[in-house]
Amino acid sequence: MADIRDFIEGLPKTELHLHIEGSLEPELMFELAKRNEIDLPYASVEEVRKAYQFTQLQDFLDIYYQGMGVLQTEQDFHDLTMAYLEKVHSQNVMHVEIFFDPQGHTDRGVSFDTVINGISSALDKGREEFGISSKLIMCFLRHLDELSAEKTLDAALFHKTKIHGVGLDSSELGHPPSKFKNVFERARREGFKLVAHAGEEGPPEYVKEALDILKIDRLDHGNRSLEDASLTERLADSQIALTVCPLSNYKLAGVTDMSKHPIKTMLQKGLKATINSDDPAYFGGYMTENYLAVANALPLERDEIITLAQNGIDATFCTEKEKEVMHEKLNAYIAANP
Ligand code: ADE
Ligand code: ZN
């Protein structure tokens, strides 16, 4: 039997919950600040890392929005995305579905075109150079109003071929999914897949709203669903996937101890749970580190790790044929590493 660390490192993986702005490492933040002649409120990379102490989601979001201020040009967005793809390529990630937050950029004068063209050209390059397939999901910031989300959707319609889905992120408490009913309805009519962060900090009621009112195809986080037995049963019955982010849950204090992380319980209750990294530059790890964190602390059995990887393929927005190819790759790896 292969060592569990080696097994996880080599495991063919997918990533379905990644905010590209959350992959901005402090080193690149400094490089881009210099390139764009922006003053940072930190003297060094070490000082930036020291500032990453969060007790709740909002603590992180304040620093996250400040950090993305160094992203100004198409080249910056391209470089950010390439750095992420290079990293996950080294971790045997074969497919990614990544979020971006256009309002975090348009609200400070960077155009939608600049953002999407920079990210998209890197995704194309990642496909050619690394063989990583990808889809892009545009998130609405839920602390802003629905009108702002509607305008963002209008802008996205000019780039429909580059955007596969629409999501909802940022400050959850006080901003329930129902606030975005109309814009999600229009996004669905336009043919976008729908996802939403719910049950990260918010109550099970928010998850129900995301399912019933937004009619999401996949649930981001969803941890607090476990507080409601009938909701848990519903998620298991429907097999709607949850994009769970262990290191994020730990850093944002939803989970105080990795040995108490709910991923094992989720699997035992039949939920289609997957492992993802959320904002790896801020939470201390990419895909491999997120798998390892729960595999070591809970611990997880080899079969459970395999189930998580299989779920990660089933939960993509790829075609059945594309999923089959990824499953074959995963099965070959499992057979070669007994
Ligand atoms: N934006 C970036 N990361 C996020 C998270 N974990 N929750 C909500 N919004 C986010
Ligand atoms: Zn997230």
Side-chain angles (χ1 to χ4, degrees):
M1 155 114 182
D3 171 73
I4 209 66
R5 168 176 281 274
D6 293 342
F7 183 70
I8 286 173
E9 271 174 7
L11 192 68
K13 295 177 271 292
T14 64
E15 163 113 281
L16 307 178
H17 186 149
L18 177 280
H19 302 263
I20 195 63
E21 297 90 344
S23 71
L24 178 62
E25 292 288 348
E27 289 80 1
L28 184 58
M29 190 189 290
F30 269 89
E31 196 182 317
L32 297 183
K34 192 171 168 207
R35 185 191 288 177
N36 296 318
E37 299 179 345
I38 292 170
D39 280 332
L40 288 176
Y42 308 103
S44 65
V45 162
E46 292 70 37
E47 215 177 277
V48 178
R49 288 221 162 84
K50 234 186 259 167
Y52 292 174
Q53 309 280 346
F54 318 115
T55 54
Q56 55 184 331
L57 176 58
Q58 195 59 50
D59 296 346
F60 155 70
L61 289 171
D62 292 343
I63 287 190
Y64 166 82
Y65 292 123
Q66 183 191 62
M68 67 174 76
V70 300
L71 297 162
Q72 298 279 336
T73 67
E74 197 173 310
Q75 187 68 49
D76 299 340
F77 286 93
H78 178 95
D79 292 349
L80 171 72
T81 309
M82 273 322 289
Y84 165 71
L85 292 171
E86 268 168 38
K87 179 71 191 179
V88 293
H89 178 56
S90 76
Q91 298 194 340
N92 295 300
V93 172
M94 48 186 170
H95 175 78
V96 298
E97 300 191 356
I98 68 181
F99 301 133
F100 72 115
D101 283 335
Q103 290 152 296
H105 312 300
T106 53
D107 282 7
R108 54 186 179 83
V110 176
S111 79
F112 194 101
D113 287 19
T114 297
V115 178
I116 195 146
N117 291 337
I119 298 172
S120 295
S121 63
L123 293 179
D124 291 343
K125 195 167 174 207
R127 207 169 288 124
E128 285 161 26
E129 281 192 10
F130 306 135
I132 298 181
S133 54
S134 53
K135 297 193 188 298
L136 202 46
I137 299 174
M138 175 182 82
C139 284
F140 301 126
L141 299 183
R142 70 202 306 160
H143 66 273
L144 301 178
D145 59 23
E146 193 180 35
L147 180 62
S148 175
E150 292 279 12
K151 287 181 184 159
T152 305
L153 181 57
D154 289 340
L157 295 180
F158 291 101
H159 298 277
K160 233 176 153 179
T161 54
K162 299 192 186 92
I163 302 172
H164 199 82
V166 156
L168 185 64
D169 65 1
S170 194
S171 322
E172 188 179 8
L173 289 171
H175 302 286
S178 50
K179 185 177 159 186
F180 297 92
K181 177 180 192 293
N182 297 310
V183 72
F184 266 68
E185 223 170 76
R186 183 157 72 99
R188 176 169 288 292
R189 281 201 306 275
E190 291 288 352
F192 293 106
K193 287 285 187 186
L194 304 180
V195 299
H197 284 53
E200 180 184 19
E201 270 191 348
E205 192 53 45
Y206 283 22
V207 176
K208 288 186 216 168
E209 282 193 13
L211 295 170
D212 295 330
I213 299 176
L214 302 188
K215 303 195 190 313
I216 53 167
D217 298 294
R218 196 165 70 204
L219 172 60
D220 295 319
H221 294 293
N223 298 33
R224 288 196 60 193
S225 308
L226 292 175
E227 294 169 24
D228 181 326
S230 70
L231 174 60
T232 304
E233 210 171 297
R234 177 180 173 186
L235 293 171
D237 288 347
S238 66
Q239 286 292 284
I240 187 164
L242 280 70
T243 63
V244 180
C245 308
L247 288 172
S248 167
N249 299 152
Y250 179 69
K251 281 282 187 174
L252 300 182
V255 172
T256 51
D257 182 331
M258 266 304 174
S259 68
K260 298 192 179 78
H261 193 277
I263 195 85
K264 198 174 178 96
T265 307
M266 287 173 172
L267 293 179
Q268 286 164 346
K269 289 185 182 290
L271 301 188
K272 198 135 196 96
T274 64
I275 295 283
N276 308 274
S277 72
D278 208 1
D279 301 282
Y282 292 87
F283 301 148
Y286 290 75
M287 285 300 295
T288 293
E289 291 81 9
N290 272 277
Y291 266 92
L292 276 172
V294 280
N296 287 330
L298 285 168
L300 293 178
E301 302 296 330
R302 174 185 159 99
D303 279 356
E304 292 172 312
I305 294 164
I306 291 171
T307 298
L308 288 166
Q310 289 168 333
N311 288 352
I313 296 172
D314 295 338
T316 63
F317 291 140
C318 295
T319 63
E320 290 308 313
K321 179 73 207 154
E322 288 163 341
K323 289 182 192 180
E324 207 180 294
V325 171
M326 288 192 275
H327 274 299
E328 278 165 13
K329 200 167 169 188
L330 176 60
N331 289 339
Y333 178 79
I334 294 165
N337 293 275

